[in-house]
Amino acid sequence: MKVAVVGVGRWGRNHVRVLSRLVAEGEIDELVLVDLNAATVRSVARKYGVEKCYTDVVEMRDKEKPDAAIIAVPTFAHYKVSRLLLDSMDLLIEKPIAATVEEALDIVRRAEKAGRVVAVGHIERFNPAITTLRERMDSLFRLDEIAFISGERVGPGPPSSKSEAYLSVAHDLLVHDIDIVTSLLNRLPRRVTALGIRGYGHPYEVEMNAIYEFPSGISAFLRASWRSSPTFKKRVLTIHAHDRVITVDYILQTLAIERGLVEHRMAVDYYGLIAAYKSRDREERVVFGSEASEPLLLEDSHFIKCVKGRAKPLVSAVEGYIALKNALMAVKASREGRWVDVEWDEDFIDPSMLAD
């Protein structure tokens, strides 16, 4: 099996590192690299022992005829590169699936018509903390017990000179959390409002504070922001159920469950109040990672298995489309200063995701 990596910049070279390991383990037979920057692609190829590299994706496609490709070019080029490759190979497209909803929809249609496996790189689906939460969900809460979900994804954004490659913070960060929320709930939001912040040397939004309304009265507040020092990152998700709160820390890979006070009594003074609060029932589980549980390794391995078995990926082109549409509807709501209805009339949408 031959796999190409198209784009070996900051994130693409991580795919090369992981796929080189899969070559060594016999999961794939050969790697081919493509990047417009000849010096960069040669340097990455030397580092990981890849023999073949190109600066033209069409030349690579026609000469090498790979079975699959990972697209890790800047977001604005996802659609163009996907169209060049989709007829002849399976794809893993880094998130977001495309720059616009129209482009994403066309990728979904083309993948369906060509019978191709198309995965989208929403790596947090493979985070061990999220996997643990999924495994325990049935024992932690029922869907009708959820009242509110909050998420915060903060970190330094791209240099202003490269911001056009990343587009907005909604493309870069918000897509992660809205994808996780919709997949956990197995529901799609009905409307959204948002406050976006521009400036700081970027032409697009650097912060997006979005409120999504889901069926059954569930609301989700998701904050995505590049307004951060170079050394600060925060990635958390909190689910507020009837009698407990579950918090996931994506970076530390922890799952904390707080069930309220062990002893509920009236405090006679401030210190008694503090003592009562400290008696809360709290469980924290640390998901110890290893090289074998690296999310990117799990994601790429999953994609290779789907290609070999002709199986639907965990995050297919449809899920990638849904995440992008939800993120860009928040951008629309912010720019128009109002609540925006999110209509789901696409024929590939699962009707159960619209139910109360």
Side-chain angles (χ1 to χ4, degrees):
M1 181 179 184
K2 183 185 294 187
V3 179
V5 179
V6 184
V8 294
R10 182 182 64 86
W11 191 243
R13 66 188 62 195
N14 284 317
H15 281 288
V16 179
R17 170 181 56 81
V18 165
L19 292 173
S20 297
R21 172 175 174 172
L22 296 182
V23 170
E25 294 175 352
E27 292 297 318
I28 57 179
D29 301 310
E30 185 180 357
L31 269 183
V32 181
L33 308 185
V34 188
D35 197 280
L36 291 174
N37 189 311
T40 296
V41 73
R42 285 197 295 264
S43 174
V44 174
R46 283 195 301 269
K47 181 175 181 179
Y48 293 102
V50 178
E51 294 182 0
K52 297 177 181 178
C53 56
Y54 294 81
T55 56
D56 185 277
V57 68
V58 174
E59 181 185 7
M60 181 281 299
R61 178 197 66 191
D62 295 343
K63 287 185 177 181
E64 298 297 333
K65 295 179 172 55
D67 301 285
I70 292 177
I71 298 176
V73 297
T75 299
F76 66 80
H78 283 188
Y79 178 62
K80 178 181 178 181
V81 175
S82 298
R83 286 197 59 177
L84 290 172
L85 301 181
L86 196 51
D87 288 341
S88 55
M89 66 194 74
D90 300 314
L91 300 178
L92 189 161
I93 307 169
E94 262 305 332
K95 65 81 197 165
I97 184 172
T100 69
V101 173
E102 292 76 19
E103 291 175 350
L105 180 60
D106 193 51
I107 291 173
V108 171
R109 300 296 189 200
R110 289 174 181 271
E112 182 180 34
K113 183 177 180 180
R116 293 294 172 189
V117 172
V118 176
V120 184
H122 282 273
I123 195 171
E124 295 292 22
R125 292 275 200 112
F126 297 87
N127 189 307
I130 291 296
T131 302
T132 301
L133 174 60
R134 287 186 185 282
E135 292 171 350
R136 298 192 58 183
M137 274 181 60
D138 289 343
S139 64
L140 289 174
F141 53 80
R142 300 190 313 270
L143 185 63
D144 61 5
E145 292 179 318
I146 299 175
F148 185 69
I149 298 174
S150 60
E152 190 169 16
R153 187 168 295 265
V154 180
S160 56
S161 61
K162 296 184 178 181
S163 60
E164 288 191 6
Y166 287 78
L167 302 178
S168 72
V169 72
H171 290 85
D172 185 41
L173 299 183
L174 185 62
V175 287
H176 277 302
D177 292 309
I178 190 58
D179 172 65
I180 290 296
V181 171
T182 55
S183 66
L184 289 174
L185 296 178
N186 194 36
R187 295 291 186 276
L188 295 175
R190 292 175 171 173
R191 63 176 191 154
V192 60
T193 190
L195 171 64
I197 298 173
R198 291 193 182 193
Y200 298 88
H202 297 273
Y204 306 109
E205 288 82 1
V206 298
E207 179 167 316
M208 187 64 60
N209 300 280
I211 301 175
Y212 293 91
E213 283 191 0
F214 287 82
S216 303
I218 300 172
S219 297
F221 171 72
L222 303 177
R223 177 179 182 244
S225 179
W226 285 335
R227 295 199 296 167
S228 167
S229 77
T231 59
F232 182 80
K233 279 189 176 182
K234 187 175 183 181
R235 309 276 194 269
V236 294
L237 180 76
T238 303
I239 299 172
H240 302 245
H242 176 64
D243 61 351
R244 66 197 63 193
V245 173
I246 300 96
T247 302
V248 171
D249 189 310
Y250 293 97
I251 297 175
L252 299 179
Q253 296 186 0
T254 60
L255 181 69
I257 303 150
E258 186 175 330
R259 297 182 176 86
L261 302 182
V262 174
E263 181 181 353
H264 185 66
R265 63 179 185 274
M266 185 68 69
V268 296
D269 54 25
Y270 174 74
Y271 297 103
L273 178 67
I274 297 299
Y277 182 70
K278 286 182 177 180
S279 73
R280 67 192 188 280
D281 180 3
R282 189 176 190 276
E283 168 195 348
E284 183 167 336
R285 177 170 178 177
V286 180
V287 183
F288 292 102
S290 65
E291 286 189 3
S293 62
E294 178 190 355
L296 187 61
L297 174 62
L298 296 175
E299 179 182 73
D300 285 355
S301 298
H302 172 73
F303 171 61
I304 297 303
K305 290 176 182 176
C306 289
V307 171
K308 290 180 177 179
R310 311 312 300 165
K312 180 180 180 293
L314 179 63
V315 189
S316 71
V318 169
E319 281 78 26
Y321 170 86
I322 289 170
L324 179 65
K325 179 175 177 177
N326 277 323
L328 295 189
M329 290 301 286
V331 174
K332 176 182 173 67
S334 170
R335 292 177 181 178
E336 296 183 1
R338 64 184 181 91
W339 282 94
V340 171
D341 292 331
V342 187
E343 298 180 357
W344 300 101
D345 54 4
E346 300 86 349
D347 57 6
F348 50 78
I349 295 296
D350 182 351
S352 68
M353 297 188 75
L354 304 174
D356 283 319

